[in-house]
Amino acid sequence: MNRKLKKSRAIEYIVLCYAAVLILLAGPLGIFDGTRQITGNETPAGTSQIIDQDSRIQQVFIADGGYLEKISIYAMEDLSRKVINLTISDELGETVFSRNVALDAYEAPGFFTVPVEFQTVRGRAYVWQISHPEKPISFGCQNTAESGLGIYGNYYYVGSDQSNQEQVGNNIIMRFQYEDKWSPGKKAAAAAVIALLAGFLILLVENSARKKKKGKEVRVQWVFRRIFNPLLIIGAAAGLAAVYPMDYYGGVRADKMVYAAGILVLTALLLYVVNAKRDSIAPLLPPIRETLLDRGMDWLQCLFWAGALWGCIDYVNAMYNIYQDYAYRKVLIYFCLVLLTMCSKKYVFHWGNLIWIALSSIAGWLYYRPYAGVEELDRLARLNAILFVTVGLVVIQLILLLWKKKPAWKQLFLPYAGLVAVFFALLVIFRNTRGWPIYLAAAFGLFYVFYLSWEKRERFLGIFCNGIILNFFCALVFAVLRRPIRAWGFYRYNFVFHTVTVTAAYLTLIICALFVKLLMQYHKSRRLYTCWTTALLFGMAVSLLLMTLSRTGYLAAVVMGIVVLLFVSLVCYRERLPVFLAKTGLAIVLVLACFPVTYSAVRLIPPLYDDPYIFELEANEEEWAVHKGDPADSENYITFPRFAYCMDVKLFGEEHSIVRKFVDTFMASAEEESKSIPGGHLEVSRISTMLASADGAVGAEASDDASSGNGPEETEEDYSNGRFEIFKRYISHWNLTGHDGMGVELADGSLSVHAHNTYLQVIYDHGLITGAVYLILGAVSLMQMFRYAYWAGRKKREDSADPYAALPLAIFLAFAVAGLVEWLFHPCNPLGFSTMAVLAPLLIFRREKKV
């Protein structure tokens, strides 16, 4: 950042960057895209029949083409905050839109608007139907001939006796709003104009520079400041304007305070990073030789670890066996690619591999062809073909490895390696019809063998840590764009999963990786600009975990954090107390500062992107669900008072209202306090009766994480959520060899699909013998991890020390604690997968005699 370049060249870079931003805004981001509204004369000539729960109105209209965003309908009665059902079908009678809609506030007689969001075909006839209103309603009509438009057909009244009465020559008064995007030609023309202007400015700068014999030099950071400072300030100003003057997102005072805090905190952090004074004169980017040749395989392996975790995410999200089969294959494919990156280049590019790739690709294609286009089997066959190719490559590498390059068997720490081998053997022997123990033993057994022969194994933990973080970064981008936090039904934020159970376990894994990296970076340099990305991601990961309202995740993260912080800082790094306290304070400040950033990101950005990703388990056509096209201030999005109330109910009990009291005291205006409902919690502004009653009417979730659901407030007093009863039932079924099925019938006749305890589940599934070895392996692994974190991170030669030596300890602690109340030991569970991976360094670890 402190390296210098000619000022003229720096100005050219600035011009190019601003041109790229403008092209991005005009093109992909579509800042100039708008909407077009189609309206007639809107001259009321009468009123339609009144419809109620047993009758309905149907209206024919001709699409003008394009993407239909909203329909506005003229109503004679006020149904603000009331629910209607709107259905749209095409000329073939196929439904293209159907949803219960809670209407926004409007003045009757007047228009209410419904977002519909579907692609229409120009000239095609469609029919909308309104039925099942909460209160009787009628609509304004006009003579079709006087509407001034040719897109209106007749409307129909369908009575309670199902008689269909056509109203010839009349139509319901309505408006249509279509998406009006710039055509690709317009966008290309705009980009060309911007590029030409940028080129002209660059020529002027070049011409001016030639006239000067000696050009002034500036630092690279000077360029960054001129580029990013204006962009950050403009972006923050736009965000604050949307929150306050424009009231684009609605909400009460507490919401706006949190949104503003999130925008300001993020802007302040980025401004600090851009403007912080740097002493280093290191190059802006590492040399290409080091990046591509020396570290290329490392980055590939990092990418493949992230891909394997992506497959794990797909597995825990799978609702059907076929989707689990897809996910299994993804995990194995990426895992095979990881193994290939651990091989020497001369073996990877061996002629045998090229022959195998050619032959296996042909065989895979022949295998795939009969299944091409067949529902479900198409994708499975394609993944099988890819897996066949990658497994073959791994087998070839294994043969070459055992034949030409012997693994470092002598470096094995035999007592520990033997214990792992015994556990794998017992797991396979007592698998009891399960296939995954074979996958686990084979995959990780191969991984450990490849690790023994890997020339760069001292880099493994760093690569794996970065792979976890890369996976989280991609998931975070996806969630910020497409996973809004909702007010009802799924108010406990489940990130990129459909349950908070797996969300909490995954986020705990992410916190482990980021925390270890943050401690390492802070130990090397206590300047925030050197580790700001890690610090920001760490704060956001903890904030996301807080938003799950998962006590299991909280417990695992807190125990892991305390133990790792104390052990690494005071024992491994031998830091003094003031440094330790400063580091602890920094971690707390990061979480407090990043919470409004994270909360605001998942609340403010999804409505802008407007393409929510809804899992099948979450899919709901009810009016309280979040849908594409919902306005940014929709009451279906969470509000901060609502979030505070849910946190109180979930963590402290509704009678305490700890968080709510803080919100009401410091973040609510007098006017808002007067709107508090008798239950004592401030609800979303202008909330409907139906939604307000949902607090206690939707039902109580059976457990926090004991059930895989993510439902409304709980009313049970049992803090264990029934786990103790489940534990007793599983313990009563123990035997030496295990069981075929996973679930156990409870006293009330229901089935507990798993024990909600990793240790009890292993004993139940595989028997007491395997369970005993599993517990012994866990205890020994924990001791090994403490020793490895201490000795491997403090080697006499600093360049041979492992800066990520605490990663196995952090991950295992999280796994062990969360495993007390959840089932995590599975090769396709992200936390279980990662725990097995970080055992590799322990297989060859021995304490050095001198440090």
Side-chain angles (χ1 to χ4, degrees):
M1 293 291 284
N2 274 342
R3 294 181 71 86
K4 294 184 177 181
L5 70 163
K6 289 184 178 181
K7 189 174 182 179
S8 59
R9 185 57 52 87
I11 295 174
E12 292 172 9
Y13 290 154
I14 294 172
V15 170
L16 287 174
C17 287
Y18 278 119
V21 170
L22 290 175
I23 290 173
L24 183 65
L25 290 173
L29 296 182
I31 193 172
F32 297 115
D33 292 341
T35 59
R36 55 188 175 92
Q37 193 171 70
I38 297 178
T39 61
N41 292 329
E42 298 179 358
T43 305
T47 303
S48 74
Q49 296 86 340
I50 295 177
I51 63 169
D52 53 23
Q53 291 289 327
D54 299 320
S55 55
R56 57 189 186 271
I57 289 286
Q58 297 174 339
Q59 169 68 58
V60 178
F61 67 95
I62 308 299
D64 194 48
Y67 193 80
L68 181 60
E69 293 182 338
K70 299 175 182 178
I71 296 179
S72 299
I73 300 171
Y74 193 85
M76 305 305 296
E77 289 78 27
D78 186 358
L79 256 66
S80 298
R81 310 300 169 216
K82 302 300 181 183
V83 180
I84 63 168
N85 177 269
L86 177 69
T87 302
I88 302 177
S89 55
D90 60 18
E91 58 188 2
L92 300 177
E94 297 181 359
T95 300
V96 294
F97 176 86
S98 179
R99 180 177 146 196
N100 290 332
V101 182
L103 301 180
D104 289 335
Y106 68 96
E107 294 183 4
F111 287 94
F112 64 77
T113 301
V114 179
V116 292
E117 302 284 344
F118 74 94
Q119 183 68 40
T120 66
V121 179
R122 184 181 297 275
R124 176 172 291 184
Y126 293 87
V127 179
W128 62 251
Q129 172 182 282
I130 290 180
S131 60
H132 300 93
E134 276 196 84
K135 289 174 58 178
I137 187 174
S138 60
F139 307 98
C141 302
Q142 65 180 358
N143 295 323
T144 305
E146 299 175 359
S147 66
L149 295 175
I151 62 171
Y152 297 140
N154 299 329
Y155 83 88
Y156 298 79
Y157 170 75
V158 182
S160 57
D161 59 355
Q162 301 305 308
S163 60
N164 197 326
Q165 304 173 24
E166 182 178 8
Q167 311 299 308
V168 180
N170 292 313
N171 65 270
I172 304 297
I173 300 174
M174 52 189 167
R175 302 169 179 170
F176 301 93
Q177 181 174 301
Y178 289 90
E179 191 177 69
D180 188 23
K181 287 187 175 182
W182 271 22
S183 66
K186 282 186 178 181
K187 291 185 176 182
V193 170
I194 295 170
L196 287 173
L197 289 174
F200 178 71
L201 291 175
I202 290 173
L203 288 176
L204 289 179
V205 174
E206 283 285 345
N207 186 50
S208 176
R210 288 194 193 99
K211 295 179 180 179
K212 297 179 181 180
K213 295 181 179 180
K214 187 177 181 180
K216 185 178 178 182
E217 290 188 335
V218 295
R219 297 179 185 274
V220 171
Q221 190 178 20
W222 183 89
V223 180
F224 275 80
R225 288 173 178 173
R226 268 63 184 176
I227 294 172
F228 289 104
N229 283 342
L231 293 177
L232 291 173
I233 293 172
I234 292 171
L240 292 174
V243 170
Y244 276 105
M246 296 173 62
D247 200 24
Y248 182 71
Y249 294 98
V252 294
R253 181 185 178 191
D255 296 301
K256 296 177 180 180
M257 289 175 67
V258 175
Y259 301 156
I263 294 169
L264 292 174
V265 168
L266 182 60
T267 305
L269 173 63
L270 296 178
L271 286 173
Y272 163 77
V273 172
V274 172
N275 295 281
K277 185 177 180 180
R278 290 164 170 80
D279 299 325
S280 173
I281 57 172
L284 183 62
L285 295 173
I288 294 179
R289 179 181 179 84
E290 179 185 345
T291 304
L292 296 180
L293 301 182
D294 185 37
R295 294 284 181 174
M297 280 295 188
D298 294 358
W299 286 110
L300 272 179
Q301 188 178 134
C302 172
L303 179 65
F304 296 149
W305 280 121
L309 287 172
W310 169 50
C312 291
I313 291 174
D314 281 354
Y315 182 87
V316 295
N317 278 332
M319 295 291 294
Y320 306 100
N321 290 338
I322 187 66
Y323 296 128
Q324 289 184 341
D325 292 339
Y326 298 157
Y328 251 129
R329 283 151 180 79
K330 287 181 185 176
V331 174
L332 292 175
I333 289 169
Y334 280 109
F335 202 80
C336 288
L337 295 174
V338 166
L339 298 181
L340 293 176
T341 61
M342 301 171 76
C343 301
S344 300
K345 295 175 184 176
K346 64 179 180 179
Y347 294 142
V348 172
F349 297 104
H350 191 270
W351 57 268
N353 290 341
L354 300 177
I355 295 175
W356 170 256
I357 291 174
L359 295 178
S360 61
S361 297
I362 295 172
W365 169 249
L366 294 175
Y367 162 78
Y368 168 74
R369 282 187 63 186
Y371 301 100
V374 180
E375 186 178 1
E376 295 184 342
L377 295 180
D378 180 301
R379 186 177 176 188
L380 185 64
R382 185 166 62 251
L383 289 170
N384 282 336
I386 297 172
L387 182 60
F388 177 65
V389 176
T390 55
V391 168
L393 291 172
V394 170
V395 171
I396 293 173
Q397 294 304 309
L398 180 63
I399 294 172
L400 292 172
L401 186 153
L402 296 175
W403 178 30
K404 294 187 176 182
K405 183 183 177 183
K406 304 294 183 183
W409 302 114
K410 293 182 180 180
Q411 295 185 24
L412 278 173
F413 181 50
L414 290 178
Y416 185 74
L419 186 59
V420 173
V422 169
F423 175 66
F424 278 2
L426 290 174
L427 202 63
V428 173
I429 292 171
F430 297 109
R431 64 186 184 277
N432 297 322
T433 72
R434 296 171 182 82
W436 68 260
I438 299 176
Y439 292 131
L440 184 146
F444 285 100
L446 276 174
F447 171 63
Y448 300 150
V449 172
F450 275 71
Y451 178 84
L452 284 175
S453 63
W454 191 22
E455 298 172 352
K456 301 177 182 177
R457 55 175 175 257
E458 70 280 356
R459 299 182 183 178
F460 162 63
L461 289 179
I463 295 171
F464 185 62
C465 183
N466 289 330
I468 295 174
I469 295 172
L470 176 61
N471 178 268
F472 171 65
F473 177 77
C474 296
L476 181 64
V477 171
F478 177 81
V480 165
L481 292 176
R482 303 192 61 190
R483 296 287 293 165
I485 180 168
R486 288 154 287 181
W488 313 103
F490 289 86
Y491 59 85
R492 295 172 62 190
Y493 191 58
N494 44 14
F495 198 48
V496 295
F497 301 90
H498 56 62
T499 67
V500 291
T501 304
V502 292
T503 305
Y506 172 81
L507 289 173
T508 305
L509 168 66
I510 302 305
I511 292 170
C512 291
L514 288 166
F515 192 48
V516 168
K517 186 164 187 174
L518 183 62
L519 292 178
M520 180 267 293
Q521 291 178 332
Y522 184 83
H523 181 66
K524 290 182 177 180
S525 172
R526 293 169 192 168
R527 297 183 178 180
L528 183 58
Y529 64 77
T530 62
C531 59
W532 72 272
T533 52
T534 305
L536 179 61
L537 290 175
F538 170 75
M540 296 186 74
V542 177
S543 300
L544 289 168
L545 180 61
L546 289 174
M547 290 161 61
T548 65
L549 307 183
S550 170
R551 293 173 294 201
T552 298
Y554 295 173
L555 177 64
V558 168
V559 171
M560 180 279 301
I562 292 175
V563 173
V564 170
L565 179 63
L566 291 172
F567 184 73
V568 171
S569 297
L570 301 181
V571 179
C572 299
Y573 293 158
R574 296 182 180 178
E575 293 174 341
R576 295 180 179 180
L577 185 59
V579 176
F580 171 76
L581 294 177
K583 180 187 292 185
T584 305
L586 174 64
I588 295 173
V589 169
L590 278 176
V591 175
L592 294 177
C594 289
F595 181 82
V597 174
T598 310
Y599 178 91
S600 300
V602 297
R603 169 61 184 91
L604 303 184
I605 298 178
L608 295 178
Y609 192 78
D610 195 24
D611 189 18
Y613 184 88
I614 306 299
F615 290 105
E616 182 179 349
L617 184 67
E618 303 170 333
N620 198 306
E621 297 301 328
E622 298 299 330
E623 59 280 0
W624 48 263
V626 172
H627 303 86
K628 183 177 175 63
D630 283 347
D633 60 350
S634 169
E635 293 160 355
N636 297 332
Y637 292 111
I638 196 72
T639 65
F640 195 69
R642 167 73 177 160
F643 174 78
Y645 169 73
C646 294
M647 177 171 279
D648 274 331
V649 172
K650 185 65 192 173
L651 302 181
F652 309 114
E654 188 172 359
E655 66 276 9
H656 299 297
S657 298
I658 296 173
V659 185
R660 286 292 317 139
K661 289 177 181 177
F662 171 81
V663 173
D664 289 340
T665 303
F666 299 103
M667 305 178 70
S669 66
E671 180 183 357
E672 290 161 1
E673 289 175 357
S674 67
K675 295 180 181 178
S676 295
I677 64 173
H681 56 279
L682 186 65
E683 278 299 355
V684 186
S685 60
R686 307 183 303 275
I687 197 68
S688 69
T689 303
M690 183 279 303
L691 295 179
S693 65
D695 271 344
V698 182
E701 187 182 20
S703 73
D704 169 11
D705 307 312
S707 81
S708 60
N710 177 16
E713 294 84 345
E714 297 174 15
T715 57
E716 294 188 5
E717 296 294 331
D718 181 11
Y719 198 76
S720 74
N721 292 315
R723 282 188 176 88
F724 291 149
E725 178 61 30
I726 295 173
F727 294 168
K728 291 177 184 178
R729 297 291 294 183
Y730 271 83
I731 291 173
S732 67
H733 286 75
W734 280 358
N735 59 27
L736 290 177
T737 58
H739 301 80
D740 291 343
M742 213 175 151
V744 166
E745 185 176 339
L746 302 179
D748 61 359
S750 62
L751 181 69
S752 175
V753 293
H754 58 80
H756 301 287
N757 181 292
T758 296
Y759 313 100
L760 299 182
Q761 190 69 53
V762 169
I763 296 173
Y764 177 84
D765 288 348
H766 308 286
L768 285 166
I769 299 173
T770 307
V773 175
Y774 180 70
L775 294 175
I776 294 171
L777 176 62
V780 174
S781 296
L782 186 60
M783 290 187 291
Q784 277 284 88
M785 288 168 178
F786 272 109
R787 295 174 66 246
Y788 184 81
Y790 182 74
W791 293 107
R794 298 179 60 247
K795 287 186 178 180
K796 187 173 182 180
R797 289 178 54 208
E798 188 174 345
D799 58 350
S800 64
D802 189 348
Y804 295 88
L807 183 64
L809 175 63
I811 291 178
F812 188 82
L813 282 171
F815 174 82
V817 174
L820 292 172
V821 288
E822 286 305 332
W823 163 238
L824 301 171
F825 183 65
H826 191 282
C828 288
N829 182 290
L831 190 50
F833 175 89
S834 301
T835 301
M836 295 306 301
V838 296
L839 296 183
L842 309 183
L843 296 171
I844 60 173
F845 170 68
R846 288 183 178 85
R847 171 184 167 180
E848 292 188 350
K849 295 181 180 180
K850 294 182 180 180
V851 179

